[in-house]
Amino acid sequence: MLSEKPHRRYNILTGEWILVSPHRTKRPWQGKEEKLPSFDQPAYHANCYLCPSNIRAGGIKNENYSSTYSFVNDFGALLLENENESFENGLLKGKVEKGICRVICFSPDHSLTLPLMKVSDITDVIRLWKKEYKELGERPEINHVQIFENKGAIMGCSNPHPHGQIWAQSSIPEEINKKSFHLKTHFDKHNRSLLIDYLEQEIKADERIVFSNDHFVVLVPFWAIWPYETMVIPRKHYQHIRQLNTDEEAAFAEAIKVVTTKYDNIFETSFPYSSGIHQRPTDGNEYSEWHFHMCFYPPLLRSATVKKFMVGYELFANPQRDITAEMAAKTLKHLPEIHFTSIE
């Protein structure tokens, strides 16, 4: 019904609207072209700050790790040692923010990315995420733990070594507050998870499902902003990743590998994205309404070198996209689950 007409879609998690303009896919302009990222990386790079046993920019030597590895970011955006201070002068207000930034190395192999890793090795990454979420979240100064990955130079990642980050802080970020509000509103009214009800509707429609296994569903959200945006949702109502059992860890790893492999297969390139896990804050409140999920926001639009920018109307009004969520899901769903570099 809305596949060819300009229309708006509502994000049930944030309460925000986006503009969809599918007719614009016929326009001739293709956008700025980016340089192609290379798969040609060595397993070990002597000048990489993240490779085992190398000296980081801050002068600290990495462990000679053989699996996953985490450490406090030498140049973190948040610091735990700050004294509590606040500032207020008329309409001007500020407050010191405490926190810890950690780097999560997914593998000692410099040449890998998540789609090129084994499911068992991605499972090790998930277990490290769980460990960090627990240890950081139990600190009295930490009320929210944000796990994320920026992949690719065009997403601001300066080092191709497979890694992500965790920013743990004393305040609860605005995106989490928005989602908490809408998750709680639905839960209070229906005594059910908003994402459980949403999953049921998506599975029934089967228009935006990209991949599923016994424990997780990967889909393009109805309200997706980025061209090939996806969300990984557990079938069970879990507030956070620590609730996953061994089988569910492996299923989560499989979902991550499949969706990132499909990304690389779209344009046969190392597909850039920002991904992050949204889950229950760690301020001690119950948050029964929370249902954790992982989001992938990739910027590539029509080819391996054409990037989607958020500019103009999107900065001053609200987000807009051209290809519909259904078009994106259809493309992703029918791509191979085997990486194109492995297909002879």
Side-chain angles (χ1 to χ4, degrees):
M1 181 178 67
L2 299 176
S3 61
E4 296 182 1
K5 303 175 182 177
H7 61 276
R8 296 203 304 159
R9 298 192 182 196
Y10 181 71
N11 185 330
I12 61 173
L13 289 172
T14 66
E16 298 167 341
W17 292 83
I18 72 153
L19 176 65
V20 184
S21 310
H23 60 290
R24 279 166 54 91
T25 58
K26 300 175 183 177
R27 63 183 176 147
W29 180 76
Q30 297 292 295
K32 181 186 176 183
E33 293 195 359
E34 303 284 348
K35 291 182 180 179
L36 280 171
S38 173
F39 279 98
D40 188 21
Q41 295 287 343
Y44 169 78
H45 196 301
N47 296 322
C48 171
Y49 295 139
L50 301 181
C51 279
S53 300
N54 284 0
I55 304 296
R56 301 200 300 270
I60 300 173
K61 185 177 182 179
N62 292 327
E63 294 179 9
N64 186 23
Y65 63 98
S66 59
S67 179
T68 57
Y69 177 57
S70 66
F71 59 87
V72 175
N73 194 323
D74 300 319
F75 303 97
L78 296 162
L79 300 172
L80 199 59
E81 298 79 15
N82 289 337
E83 296 293 330
N84 289 323
E85 294 181 51
S86 60
F87 169 83
E88 189 165 357
N89 181 9
L91 296 176
L92 309 180
K93 187 183 297 186
K95 184 180 180 182
V96 165
E97 181 74 359
K98 289 187 176 185
I100 307 170
C101 294
R102 296 187 66 85
V103 176
I104 308 295
C105 294
F106 299 158
S107 169
D109 190 333
H110 185 85
S111 68
L112 295 180
T113 55
L114 286 174
L116 298 176
M117 291 171 60
K118 297 177 182 177
V119 169
S120 59
D121 293 332
I122 299 174
T123 303
D124 289 340
V125 175
I126 291 168
R127 288 171 181 161
L128 181 56
W129 285 341
K130 291 173 69 174
K131 176 177 178 289
E132 294 286 352
Y133 176 77
K134 177 181 185 295
E135 292 180 359
L136 291 169
E138 286 178 347
R139 298 183 69 117
E141 319 95 323
I142 300 301
N143 293 314
H144 182 262
V145 178
Q146 181 61 62
I147 298 167
F148 66 97
E149 178 197 5
N150 293 323
K151 181 192 174 202
I154 65 174
M155 299 307 289
C157 182
S158 59
N159 191 323
H161 193 102
H163 74 286
Q165 299 182 58
I166 297 179
W167 289 17
Q169 63 192 104
S170 55
S171 68
I172 299 175
E174 292 306 307
E175 193 73 5
I176 302 302
N177 283 328
K178 285 187 288 188
K179 289 190 174 184
S180 290
F181 175 81
H182 291 279
L183 288 165
K184 190 174 190 311
T185 299
H186 185 90
F187 189 82
D188 288 348
K189 183 176 181 180
H190 303 285
N191 197 33
R192 283 173 57 86
S193 159
L194 174 60
L195 286 183
I196 288 290
D197 287 345
Y198 174 62
L199 263 186
E200 287 183 359
Q201 187 170 346
E202 285 287 19
I203 291 169
K204 183 178 181 180
D206 196 22
E207 292 180 300
R208 289 168 290 274
I209 304 293
V210 174
F211 170 79
S212 64
N213 56 31
D214 289 344
H215 302 291
F216 284 86
V217 175
V218 182
L219 55 81
V220 177
F222 178 76
W223 54 85
I225 295 173
W226 295 96
Y228 291 98
E229 178 179 333
T230 57
M231 185 160 59
V232 184
I233 309 173
R235 292 179 183 269
K236 290 185 179 178
H237 180 193
Y238 288 151
Q239 285 79 39
H240 52 81
I241 58 174
R242 284 184 57 201
Q243 294 169 303
L244 296 175
N245 62 32
T246 302
D247 290 342
E248 291 162 340
E249 289 171 350
F252 190 17
E254 181 190 29
I256 291 171
K257 180 174 176 64
V258 168
V259 71
T260 55
T261 296
K262 285 177 177 287
Y263 279 156
D264 279 10
N265 287 344
I266 295 176
F267 303 126
E268 296 192 350
T269 188
S270 186
F271 206 79
Y273 57 76
S274 281
S275 67
I277 299 173
H278 277 169
Q279 54 193 325
R280 183 181 75 181
T282 59
D283 58 358
N285 291 319
E286 183 61 31
Y287 293 104
S288 299
E289 72 278 2
W290 255 94
H291 190 141
F292 97 78
H293 51 282
M294 185 174 191
C295 298
F296 285 85
Y297 301 150
L300 295 187
L301 179 57
R302 293 185 180 91
S303 76
T305 60
V306 178
K307 179 184 177 184
K308 160 74 173 178
F309 287 93
M310 293 290 180
V311 295
Y313 178 86
E314 292 156 315
L315 291 177
F316 297 101
N318 59 244
Q320 180 272 341
R321 65 180 282 136
D322 292 347
I323 63 171
T324 65
E326 296 74 33
M327 293 164 62
K330 185 177 180 181
T331 298
L332 287 167
K333 185 175 184 177
H334 292 98
L335 286 165
E337 294 178 11
I338 300 174
H339 199 271
F340 74 91
T341 58
S342 302
I343 301 174
E344 296 182 356

